[in-house]
Amino acid sequence: MTDHPRLPLAGVRVLELGNYIAAPTAGRMLADFGAEVVKVERPGTGDELRNWRLQQGTTSLLYRTINRNKKSVALDLRSPAGLAAVKALVAESDILLENFRPGTLEKWGLGPEVLDELNDELVLVRISAFGQTGPLSARPGFAAVAEAYGGFRELVGDPDRPPTRVGVSIGDSIAGMQAAFGACMMLFDRERRRAQANAKSDEPDSPRTVDVALNEAMFSVMESLVPDYSAFRRLRTRTGGRTEGIAPSNAYVCAEGKSIVIAGNGNGIFRRYMEVIGRPDLAADPGLASNAQRWARRDELDAAIGAWTAERTVDDALAALDAAGVPAGPIYTAEDILADEQYRARNMIQRFDVDTGDGVLTDVAFPGITPVIGGTSVEIDHLGPDLGEHTREVLEAAGVDSGMIAGILGGGGADSAAGSEDDGARRTSGAEGGRP
């Protein structure tokens, strides 16, 4: 397994005040590549994600996954002691992540002006439903609502049924990725400004606040949805397993009832594709030479392809398509992913024993770290921590008064000083390597 002596964000400190999925996804991405991410949670209950999809015990595997490689500090931001402790952490941080309703930080006395006084080089990353400005900025909203506002939901599902949603929190995840990118972008700019300051540049400072709106994050991945309408008054509609204007590209049922995806929409690929399925007439048809022509006859093409796949197993169909250089693949379940050699080869399945608070689950598989650097996924250091597991450690390192720490711990903040950092989730003995 490839050794990673130093991760690219080592030495970067991140204070995460967010909950649920969006800001924690950004924090996870930064932590995965070496940043020290301190997650502040409410004493007693913590991030509500601890109870989402909870199958056993007190902390869900969803929380353990999205909050891996972080430290948990339990603080009540509404209390004077909790607020003072957070301010001490702000002074020591490079990045602050938050995904509260706009105005919440300000209400707690942690608005941008206060943060700037505490740390004039802090990068502030704010995630909200509709952004920090504009007529909808004060409105609360989860990603499901933002996906609808962004134009995404209208295109998901079959044309003869109401819009549906995908099976994961795609809006939160995309917003989290944009937040992580924005944070790294601002860190890069900060270092550039420092170099220019040394060179006595007169260039004005760049803003240090990253404003991510969930609806805009979804809007940003909608390709030419708006330009096509603006230019041609063309409204896209739901197309099921297809993508509008691209054919043939769909899912097809094989003999054993399982489906495969085949993307044979390139001009050259299409001709090979039709030869494979025994339809040289379609390969040679001048009326199918372009994507636009094939899209107009998509039902005819899908019927021909579906008839071919229905007579073959998944393995036989994929082998024939692969031999002809036609992009295709099976539709995987979690079980299929765990059995896949490609995922294993790149260390994309990493295993841990997990203490749920109601027993230990052994050898549990978790997704590896992306993107890959050095040939295989970086090793996960530890899964999402127990609530308040690092409160004493983090506050002592930030120079918080010992008496104040004692009061915070006595008020419900957990103390893990006697335990190891990964008490809640230990890597199984069969895993190799580890993170620095």
Side-chain angles (χ1 to χ4, degrees), residues 50-51 54-60 64 355-359 361:
R50 290 182 178 274
N51 293 306
L54 182 64
Q55 306 292 323
Q56 178 182 325
T58 57
T59 301
S60 70
R64 297 289 193 195
D355 186 350
T356 67
D358 189 28
L361 303 174

Side-chain angles (χ1 to χ4, degrees), residues 89-425:
L89 295 175
V90 166
E92 300 292 325
S93 298
D94 297 291
I95 300 166
L96 188 150
L97 299 173
E98 66 102 350
N99 63 344
F100 299 114
R101 187 174 176 176
T104 301
L105 282 190
E106 288 81 355
K107 181 176 65 177
W108 289 338
L110 290 171
E113 297 80 9
V114 175
L115 297 175
D116 193 59
E117 291 178 3
L118 295 168
N119 184 343
D120 64 3
E121 291 199 321
L122 181 73
V123 172
L124 174 59
V125 181
R126 314 193 75 171
I127 307 175
S128 60
F130 300 101
Q132 303 296 314
T133 60
L136 297 183
S137 60
R139 183 179 295 185
F142 280 150
V145 176
E147 291 164 17
Y149 267 95
F152 177 78
R153 188 67 70 88
E154 175 63 19
L155 300 187
V156 182
D158 294 309
D160 58 343
R161 299 182 183 182
T164 184
R165 72 178 302 175
V166 298
V168 295
S169 300
I170 189 72
D172 283 317
S173 296
I174 291 176
M177 293 175 189
Q178 291 198 355
F181 168 71
C184 290
M185 179 174 63
M186 289 295 99
L187 283 185
F188 177 85
D189 184 65
R190 187 183 73 178
E191 296 309 306
R192 182 177 64 88
R193 286 188 287 110
R194 285 175 174 173
Q196 289 176 337
N198 291 335
K200 297 183 178 179
S201 169
D202 293 329
E203 181 177 333
D205 286 349
S206 301
R208 288 182 288 109
T209 296
V210 177
D211 182 358
V212 179
L214 294 175
N215 69 310
E216 293 168 356
M218 293 308 302
F219 177 47
S220 75
V221 300
M222 295 309 298
E223 301 173 350
S224 62
L225 176 75
V226 166
D228 285 343
Y229 174 75
S230 180
F232 307 112
R233 290 299 184 265
R234 174 62 182 252
L235 280 174
R236 288 185 57 185
T237 57
R238 292 181 294 287
T239 55
R242 300 161 170 159
T243 298
E244 185 170 349
I246 298 175
S249 181
N250 209 338
Y252 306 92
V253 182
C254 292
E256 67 267 63
K258 294 183 177 180
S259 296
I260 60 175
V261 169
I262 312 173
N265 44 284
N267 292 339
I269 294 172
F270 172 73
R271 291 189 289 273
R272 298 195 302 272
Y273 187 5
M274 294 301 100
E275 295 286 349
V276 169
I277 70 169
R279 294 297 304 269
D281 57 313
L282 297 177
D285 189 337
L288 294 171
S290 70
N291 237 316
Q293 292 171 309
R294 294 191 291 271
W295 177 252
R297 295 170 60 181
R298 58 191 178 277
D299 291 336
E300 175 189 353
L301 292 174
D302 277 349
I305 298 163
W308 180 80
T309 60
E311 297 178 350
R312 288 160 179 79
T313 65
V314 166
D315 289 344
D316 288 344
L318 291 179
L321 293 164
D322 184 58
V326 178
I331 295 178
Y332 269 2
T333 64
E335 182 180 18
D336 297 322
I337 291 172
L338 288 177
D340 186 82
E341 293 181 2
Q342 178 68 19
Y343 282 105
R344 289 201 302 269
R346 287 167 64 85
N347 197 30
M348 279 297 154
I349 303 297
Q350 301 185 29
R351 294 181 177 273
F352 291 81
D353 291 343
V354 184
D355 186 350
T356 67
D358 189 28
V360 175
L361 303 174
T362 60
D363 202 34
V364 179
F366 287 85
I369 292 172
T370 58
V372 164
I373 56 176
T376 63
S377 170
V378 170
E379 294 285 352
I380 299 168
D381 185 69
H382 61 277
L383 300 180
D386 292 335
L387 177 58
E389 185 175 334
H390 307 95
T391 302
R392 181 184 294 277
E393 169 197 329
V394 169
L395 295 186
E396 285 182 344
V400 176
D401 177 80
S402 59
M404 183 179 292
I405 294 175
I408 289 171
L409 295 175
D415 182 6
S416 65
S420 66
E421 182 172 331
D422 59 348
D423 280 345

